[in-house]
Amino acid sequence: MYDVIVVGTRVSGSSVAMLLARSGLKVLAVDGATFPSDTVSTHYIHQAGLSRLQDWGLLDRVIASGCPPIRHLNFSYTDIALSGMADPIDGIDAVYCPRRTVLDSILVDAAREAGAEMIEGFTVRDLIFEGDQVVGIRGSRAGGSTEEFRAAFVVGADGANSTVARRVDAQKYDQSAGACFVYYSYYSGLDWGMQHRTGFGEQQFAAWPTNDDLYLVAVMRKRDRLKEFRKDPDANIQEIVDAIDPKYGESLRDNGTRVERLRPMTYPDNYRRTSFGPGWALVGDAGYHKDPFTGWGITDAFKYGEMLAHRLVEGLGGQRPLYDALASYQADRDAQSAGTYELTKSISELSLTPYYDSVFRAASKSPEYTTKFFGLIAGGYPGEEFFAPDNLAELYATVDLPVGDRHLVQA
């Protein structure tokens, strides 16, 4: 009998398992994969996410993997360009984009070192109920017979297609359709720094260095162009990079060599799910998912995984009623992620609203506000301050922007 079973051991699940085990709880964590194991991902960890790794004593392991630091960021949206870096957060002055074969293995190892029992290659088929209370899991290892494990509590960290969410009938809310598809792969021969470039014609490319001297290069277009894109993905990637910035298009053509298969992603819709109930909770993409455009998936998995772990320790340890602890987890997650969620949903459409166009255009003309922009992206500068009408009014007063384009509030 366990205190907590965690289903899924990637960035959210292994973090929760590690933190619960470090708190003295008896934890079992299971995953259908065996590690090291790859998965589709932006790889991007913002400074706020790296701060969590640092607090957990794991940032040095990411750095030691050979993943290069990135200390200068380049963002553009059509003819708006912002270049710079956020101020350090908890002393962290860089971002890192590790391969998931590297990052997930580090986290799984850390959970095991903390005392969590880890079973890899175990597929959960069902939950065990007593009345409406979840009391365990049922599943099997590859080629094995059905096994059951019981616990006081089960955490679903098993992604957007969560078995736990499906079995407890966790309802989605605050939904919106995903706008785009993504193709990415790994390339040798490039030295581009970090690029996040959205061009005219609703298309985008992004690139950043990762492990093994490789670059992740990704492109994004609206979903209605996927059928056409699939006919020749490599040519279409080249076309997008050429169109957005011919300099990088030439570099990709002359120096870049794709060294792995292409990874296509048509992401699920943006949503939140009811994320707690009798004997269960959801974390990571199982409970809250948004478009990968802003690269906040891993950072949010760390942030809200830590939040859930703390609330479970409080509730299971009798420091506060478990229901109240879990209700506050969902409410606080939704409140704290609201700004990022709404911004992501808007700008991932690959065309800025007049409001965001005016704010980002003005920010690009102000060195001070450009730094604040990167602080917003990094998780170190509050969105409610960045977008505060009084602060925007002060910004507009210092830059050359037509009066009619100075939007103070989102329409």
Side-chain angles (χ1 to χ4, degrees), residues 42 44 46 196 290-297 340 343-344 347 377:
T42 67
Y44 198 95
H46 294 274
H196 196 280
K290 58 192 173 303
D291 194 278
F293 188 86
T294 50
W296 263 84
T340 302
L343 175 64
T344 300
I347 66 176
I377 296 298

Side-chain angles (χ1 to χ4, degrees), residues 77 176-184 196-199 201-205 218-227 229-230 240 263-270 289-294 344-352:
Y77 226 111
S176 66
C180 298
F181 67 87
V182 180
Y183 265 75
Y184 78 87
H196 196 280
R197 313 287 295 278
T198 304
E202 296 181 329
Q203 53 191 356
Q204 188 252 11
F205 86 83
V219 298
M220 182 181 290
R221 270 183 175 162
K222 288 295 189 72
R223 286 186 180 184
D224 60 6
R225 301 188 66 178
L226 178 57
K227 183 177 180 180
F229 191 96
R230 282 175 171 161
I240 290 172
R263 273 83 162 173
M265 297 185 286
T266 302
Y267 261 68
D269 294 343
N270 305 288
H289 176 268
K290 58 192 173 303
D291 194 278
F293 188 86
T294 50
T344 300
K345 288 194 297 181
S346 179
I347 66 176
S348 63
E349 294 283 339
L350 303 184
S351 58
L352 292 178

Side-chain angles (χ1 to χ4, degrees), residues 170-187:
Q171 297 299 300
K172 292 180 179 179
Y173 59 97
D174 199 10
Q175 291 179 257
S176 66
C180 298
F181 67 87
V182 180
Y183 265 75
Y184 78 87
S185 190
Y186 305 93
Y187 293 76

Side-chain angles (χ1 to χ4, degrees), residues 103-121:
L103 177 64
D104 294 12
S105 294
I106 288 171
L107 291 164
V108 166
D109 289 346
R112 187 175 284 114
E113 291 163 10
E117 182 180 342
M118 312 293 285
I119 303 179
E120 301 177 24

Side-chain angles (χ1 to χ4, degrees), residues 362 366 368-369 372 381 385-386 388-399 406 408:
S366 164
E368 178 185 356
Y369 232 82
K372 291 179 180 179
Y381 190 80
E385 292 186 30
F386 185 90
D390 287 347
N391 291 340
L392 292 180
E394 291 183 12
L395 168 64
Y396 292 145
T398 67
V399 300
R406 301 181 180 190
L408 295 175

Side-chain angles (χ1 to χ4, degrees), residues 7-8 77 113 152 164-165 183 207 210 221 237-238 252 272 281 284 286 301:
V7 180
Y77 226 111
E113 291 163 10
V164 176
Y183 265 75
T210 185
R221 270 183 175 162
I237 290 171
Q238 184 68 58
L252 181 63
R272 302 184 191 276

Side-chain angles (χ1 to χ4, degrees), residues 3-32:
D3 295 313
V4 180
I5 295 173
V6 180
V7 180
T9 64
R10 291 198 181 273
V11 289
S12 58
S14 53
S15 300
V16 171
M18 176 191 68
L19 294 169
L20 292 176
R22 287 181 177 181
S23 296
L25 296 180
K26 186 177 181 181
V27 178
L28 169 67
V30 302
D31 198 291

Side-chain angles (χ1 to χ4, degrees), residues 269-283:
D269 294 343
N270 305 288
Y271 61 81
R272 302 184 191 276
R273 278 193 180 112
T274 300
S275 293
F276 73 99
W280 62 272
L282 303 176
V283 72

